[in-house]
C-alpha cells in the first residue's frame, strides 16, 4: 500500500484511515472501490474514521460503494475493526446512530458515532488495540 496511490482515503495515519465524506467529488465511486480494495487486500487491520458524512451523495457512487461492500462483506469484517464517525449535533447523531446499527449488522462490523473527532479517534484507538469499545451512550 503506497500513500501516493490514495486520493480519497487519507492513509497517512494507517491503521487509522480517514475519509472526509463531504469532500468526495461526484463520480468518486470507481476510485473509492480501487482504494478500498487495496485496504482490504493488505494484511493489517484498520479503522475507518469519518469526520463528516457525505451529503447529497450521487446515486451511482452510492450504489457502486454499496455493491462493493456487499460483495466484500467477509473481507471487511476480517480487516476493519470498525467505523467511527463524528456528528456534533445531538439530534442528527441519534438519527445516524440508529442508521449505523443497521449498517453494522449488515456488514458485520462495529459502528460508533461520537460528538467530537477526539472521541471518535479514542474509540478507534481502543478497537485497534483489541480493547473493548463502549457502546454508544444516549446523549453523547
Amino acid at each position: 500500500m503506497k500513500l501516493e496511490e490514495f486520493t480519497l482515503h487519507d492513509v497517512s495515519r494507517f491503521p487509522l484511515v480517514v475519509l472526509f465524506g463531504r469532500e468526495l467529488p461526484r463520480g468518486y465511486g470507481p476510485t473509492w472501490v480501487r482504494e478500498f480494495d487495496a485496504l482490504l487486500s493488505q494484511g493489517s487491520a484498520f479503522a475507518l474514521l469519518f469526520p463528516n458524512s457525505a451529503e447529497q451523495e450521487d446515486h451511482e457512487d452510492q450504489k457502486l460503494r454499496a455493491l462493493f461492500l456487499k460483495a466484500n462483506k467477509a473481507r471487511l469484517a476480517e480487516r476493519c475493526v470498525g467505523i467511527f464517525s463524528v456528528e456534533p449535533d445531538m439530534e442528527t447523531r441519534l438519527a445516524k446512530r440508529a442508521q449505523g446499527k443497521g449498517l453494522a449488522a449488515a456488514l458485520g462490523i462495529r459502528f460508533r458515532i461520537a460528538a467530537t473527532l477526539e472521541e471518535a479517534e479514542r474509540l478507534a484507538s481502543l478497537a485497534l488495540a483489541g480493547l473493548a469499545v463502549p457502546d454508544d451512550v444516549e446523549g453523547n
Side-chain angles (χ1 to χ4, degrees):
M1 182 170 59
K2 298 176 184 169
L3 286 176
E4 63 272 6
E5 294 176 359
F6 288 83
T7 58
L8 299 177
H9 297 87
D10 178 356
V11 294
S12 63
R13 295 173 51 202
F14 190 86
L16 186 62
V17 177
V18 182
L19 183 67
F20 293 92
R22 291 189 188 123
E23 295 173 15
L24 292 173
R26 186 181 184 107
Y28 76 85
T31 301
W32 184 94
V33 165
R34 180 182 52 76
E35 291 182 12
F36 213 85
D37 188 54
L39 286 169
L40 294 177
S41 295
Q42 54 77 37
S44 301
F46 62 91
L48 292 171
L49 178 65
F50 297 136
N52 57 43
S53 57
E55 303 293 332
Q56 305 300 321
E57 185 176 15
D58 181 71
H59 176 73
E60 289 304 313
D61 291 328
Q62 185 179 30
K63 180 179 171 182
L64 185 59
R65 189 171 42 81
L67 289 171
F68 177 85
L69 290 172
K70 182 177 179 182
N72 291 278
K73 178 181 171 179
R75 291 172 66 205
L76 180 65
E78 182 180 308
R79 293 278 182 251
C80 182
V81 300
I83 297 172
F84 302 89
S85 187
V86 178
E87 177 52 59
D89 180 75
M90 186 178 357
E91 285 185 37
T92 305
R93 188 169 55 255
L94 293 174
K96 287 184 177 183
R97 189 170 288 151
Q99 292 172 338
K101 287 182 182 182
L103 177 68
L107 297 177
I109 61 172
R110 83 173 41 94
F111 175 87
R112 297 291 188 274
I113 187 162
T116 66
L117 180 59
E118 294 77 16
E119 179 65 7
E121 288 178 343
R122 184 184 76 78
L123 295 173
S125 294
L126 289 171
L128 286 166
L131 300 173
V133 177
D135 287 334
D136 297 317
V137 177
E138 291 303 314
N140 284 336

